[in-house]
Amino acid sequence: MPAWIPGSYLMREFGRQIETLSAHDARQRPVPLGKLDRNTWQAAPCKGPLTLTAVIYCYDLSVRGAHLDDTHGFFNGTSVFLRAHGHEHQPCLLELVPPPAGSTRTDEPWRVHTSLPEATGDPEAAPRHGFGLYRAPDYDALLDHPIEMGTPQTITFEAHGAQHEMVFSGRIPGLDLARVADDVRRICEAQIALFEPESLRAPFLDSADRYVFMTFVTADGYGGLEHRASTALLASRGDLPAVGQGGMTDGYRTFLGLVSHEYFHTWNVKRIKPAAFVPYDLTREGHTRLLWVFEGFTSYYDDLMLLRSGVIERDDYLKLLGRTVAQVHRGPGRHKQSVADSSYDAWTRYYRQDENSPNALVSYYTKGSLVALGLDLTIRQATDNQRSLDDVMRLLWDRYGRDFYRSAAPRGVDEDAMAALIAEATGVDASSFLAQYAEGCADVPLDRLLAQAGYQLEWQAAGNLPVSVNWRTRTQGQDLLVATVYESGNAHRAGVSAGDVLVALDGLRVGPGNLDALLQRYRPGEAVPLHVFRGDVLRRFDLVFDEPVAHDCRIHPRAATSPTTEA
Ligand code: ZN
């Protein structure tokens, strides 16, 4: 059984959800199974075909797992399909059987939604959206087409002639499907045009005749996982527009940004891949220093594609960009870890965060997207706007991606290849840029780069408080807890720790509802006692208030200045 699922870099040991596993031979005689390690079984020698029967617990409502109840079923192949060792390259037939009558919540028959091709030509082949036989060319493909079964709301559209299907499961009254499909179509077309400006050919046609967005909607869900011809998404009900509800909300923009991100992965990571993922070894961690390219560049283009497709306006885009800049700059960890190191250690650090992570880590998503922006601006300024990061993406696509699933010997991007590829695509030597900002821990000089492009960064304090405490708090029941203490800030200097429960500030009770109101009454430099419970021990610290810190970043066009280029 796979130990991890591509796209989510954490060991998950999917075999642990197998409740029972048994084997029998062609004459229905039991075949003993032994265990070789946590994910591997070995059957005793037997003649003829071997049949394995597994009962698997499926109640993980995430984009990475498998979930089955009386309203729907969703699974990733990594949760349910054992790999027959040595037979990875053989075609696989999958038979899907409908749930027994009376076992589902409504009488409406379930349908099947997946990008996995039906086993066309076989008498038992599944009809479109039906139960029956499906076919995968090999085990890797079998794992890469998740399947949704149930009675979801659906809509289809064509983007540059290619079929796309949107599937929404969960309860979403009044969902404006037509509006969502129209916006998503524009995003898909903008991305197809970026990679294939001439042929306008959608990337997934090498593996499937359609792309499927499968979204499960809950009260407060968020997440996505990319596949070669589909994506599994988790979204919040409130983020999706209802019929008659106009205007762009923050939530809907967030949903479209997620859709754009996962769709961009169809090129960048599902076909253009780091060499470390060619092929995926799902028994152990696949280390690469390049996730800042595969996740960071994708994070840069996800919002940029909303802008280019006309789904959002420039001001909205600048607001999103400002938020990302602010987020990256909030964490002192960015001076300790590079995005290349963060990529390599994703398995044990980025995916296993704790209260100290902002002090110790940098995100290869957010800082990676700023590296992409910095590179894009550097290339544009060095070439008088004749070249851009788009040219780098097209070269990557041409060299590694377009024929990935058609090639007998597909290649991935080598760990140290990026500088040469950028130079080849644009003529710009980016090696010192990459050494400083991707391999090194320096901040991307966006002040200078944006100024040269005619934009200005402006930093402001968040809220209207006259003083600041350099921590992050969170509410737990009636209590206000310190969630993170930022390194070298006033809370850190006073001795406060993550997990401390706030009791009193300056002798006054402090809780979830009144911290900001209390902070309004002080001036920078004033010292007050702070009482906290650490465990069940009352502790007192002397806290000295700081000046308000400018953590919010806004980006504006500079009205009086025209764009200039770098000498
Ligand atoms: Zn991603």
Side-chain angles (χ1 to χ4, degrees):
M1 279 295 279
W4 59 283
I5 179 168
S8 184
Y9 306 112
L10 182 69
M11 298 305 271
R12 297 185 191 274
E13 322 291 6
F14 293 107
R16 74 200 167 90
Q17 297 297 6
I18 295 184
E19 290 185 354
T20 58
L21 182 66
S22 57
H24 62 261
D25 66 11
R27 293 162 67 184
Q28 300 301 316
R29 287 178 309 203
V31 176
L33 290 174
K35 203 142 186 203
L36 299 185
D37 64 31
R38 56 198 172 167
N39 300 313
T40 314
W41 291 258
Q42 186 170 41
C46 67
K47 284 226 165 76
L50 181 76
T51 303
L52 288 172
T53 306
V55 176
I56 302 173
Y57 181 68
C58 297
Y59 207 56
D60 172 13
L61 189 50
S62 78
V63 297
R64 306 171 298 262
H67 187 261
L68 179 67
D69 66 12
D70 60 351
T71 67
H72 90 132
F74 167 80
F75 67 87
N76 284 290
T78 37
S79 288
V80 294
F81 296 135
L82 289 116
R83 172 170 66 103
H85 193 88
H87 296 262
E88 294 82 358
H89 298 295
Q90 308 231 5
C92 305
L93 272 182
L94 169 67
E95 183 179 12
L96 289 175
V97 194
S103 66
T104 57
R105 198 175 70 87
T106 65
D107 292 336
E108 193 183 341
W110 281 17
R111 296 179 305 277
V112 177
H113 296 276
T114 179
S115 52
L116 187 66
E118 298 89 5
T120 319
D122 190 296
E124 321 257 323
R128 178 55 58 101
H129 295 142
F131 289 86
L133 288 180
Y134 287 80
R135 193 195 316 271
D138 54 30
Y139 179 74
D140 182 52
L142 182 68
L143 296 189
D144 206 18
H145 294 278
I147 293 176
E148 171 74 28
M149 299 170 287
T151 56
Q153 301 183 56
T154 64
I155 189 165
T156 59
F157 62 86
E158 283 192 2
H160 288 311
Q163 190 72 22
H164 293 67
E165 185 176 316
M166 300 200 78
V167 178
F168 290 90
S169 306
R171 295 209 42 206
I172 328 131
L175 174 63
D176 192 344
L177 276 173
R179 177 180 176 192
V180 175
D182 191 51
D183 288 335
V184 173
R185 177 186 52 77
R186 288 155 75 182
I187 296 164
C188 296
E189 290 192 340
Q191 295 194 14
I192 294 169
L194 161 66
F195 283 97
E196 293 284 8
E198 278 155 34
S199 74
L200 296 177
R201 185 182 157 86
F204 53 84
L205 296 173
D206 57 9
S207 316
D209 61 2
R210 60 197 181 276
Y211 186 94
V212 184
F213 294 92
M214 38 188 95
T215 307
F216 197 88
V217 181
T218 64
D220 52 5
Y222 179 79
L225 195 62
E226 66 276 8
H227 299 281
R228 69 184 66 178
S230 62
T231 178
L233 308 167
L234 195 57
S236 299
R237 190 173 298 115
D239 287 354
L240 296 170
V243 174
Q245 199 180 63
M248 178 59 71
T249 60
D250 264 6
Y252 186 41
R253 199 182 296 116
T254 300
F255 174 74
L256 292 175
L258 178 65
V259 163
S260 179
H261 181 97
E262 303 306 340
Y263 195 71
F264 198 85
H265 274 316
T266 319
W267 292 269
N268 195 31
V269 94
K270 293 314 305 189
R271 287 172 180 77
I272 306 163
K273 295 172 188 247
F277 292 170
V278 184
Y280 292 118
D281 179 349
L282 300 182
T283 66
R284 61 176 68 88
E285 294 87 344
H287 289 290
T288 169
R289 298 177 64 75
L290 290 176
L291 293 181
W292 59 274
V293 174
F294 295 95
E295 289 298 348
F297 283 25
T298 301
S299 298
Y300 171 57
Y301 276 104
D302 60 20
D303 287 342
L304 191 59
M305 286 294 149
L306 300 187
L307 177 67
R308 283 198 198 162
S309 62
V311 168
I312 64 171
E313 306 286 327
R314 186 178 69 168
D315 285 355
D316 286 329
Y317 177 71
L318 293 177
K319 206 189 286 177
L320 292 173
L321 193 55
R323 269 186 220 161
T324 306
V325 173
Q327 214 179 327
V328 172
H329 280 243
R330 189 76 177 94
R334 74 189 196 280
H335 294 311
K336 297 180 186 166
Q337 192 189 41
S338 67
V339 286
D341 285 337
S342 178
S343 299
Y344 191 87
D345 284 334
W347 303 84
T348 45
R349 302 193 68 188
Y350 187 78
Y351 266 87
R352 293 173 69 176
Q353 297 197 27
D354 59 25
E355 68 281 358
N356 191 49
S357 295
N359 293 319
L361 304 186
V362 70
S363 161
Y364 50 77
Y365 285 86
T366 49
K367 190 186 169 189
S369 78
L370 300 188
V371 171
L373 169 64
L375 261 177
D376 200 1
L377 291 170
T378 301
I379 295 166
R380 287 172 186 274
Q381 287 161 15
T383 62
D384 200 15
N385 249 328
Q386 296 305 298
R387 290 282 180 271
S388 71
L389 196 60
D390 295 0
D391 294 291
V392 178
M393 297 315 302
R394 283 190 283 265
L395 176 64
L396 288 168
W397 175 240
D398 195 53
R399 180 79 35 94
Y400 301 95
R402 189 182 289 117
D403 293 324
F404 187 86
Y405 290 116
R406 291 184 285 231
S407 164
R411 284 201 306 142
V413 181
D414 285 327
E415 295 287 287
D416 55 358
M418 283 309 293
L421 288 162
I422 293 167
E424 183 181 343
T426 68
V428 175
D429 177 3
S431 48
S432 108
F433 184 99
L434 298 185
Q436 288 178 79
Y437 311 119
E439 286 289 338
C441 299
D443 285 336
V444 181
L446 290 178
D447 259 326
R448 173 173 63 78
L449 291 167
L450 282 168
Q452 283 164 348
Y455 293 87
Q456 183 178 352
L457 283 174
E458 190 193 320
W459 290 92
Q460 296 171 341
N464 294 314
L465 296 174
V467 296
S468 70
V469 186
N470 210 352
W471 62 23
R472 207 162 45 79
T473 58
R474 68 181 166 88
T475 300
Q476 186 177 290
Q478 304 292 310
D479 292 329
L480 190 61
L481 261 72
V482 178
T484 288
V485 173
Y486 289 101
E487 187 171 310
S488 305
N490 53 353
H492 186 204
R493 292 195 307 272
V496 179
S497 271
D500 288 351
V501 178
L502 300 187
V503 175
L505 186 72
D506 198 12
L508 297 166
R509 184 156 87 180
V510 64
N514 71 340
L515 177 64
D516 282 3
L518 263 180
L519 293 176
Q520 289 286 1
R521 312 190 76 87
Y522 297 92
R523 293 286 158 268
E526 275 184 84
V528 295
L530 172 73
H531 286 85
V532 306
F533 271 119
R534 183 169 299 171
D536 63 353
V537 179
L538 185 68
R539 303 283 307 267
R540 184 204 137 119
F541 302 106
D542 294 311
L543 183 67
V544 182
F545 289 119
D546 277 342
E547 296 277 350
V549 186
H551 287 309
D552 273 4
C553 176
R554 308 273 162 88
I555 300 170
H556 306 285
R558 287 198 308 186
T561 321
S562 61
T564 56
T565 52
E566 208 168 32

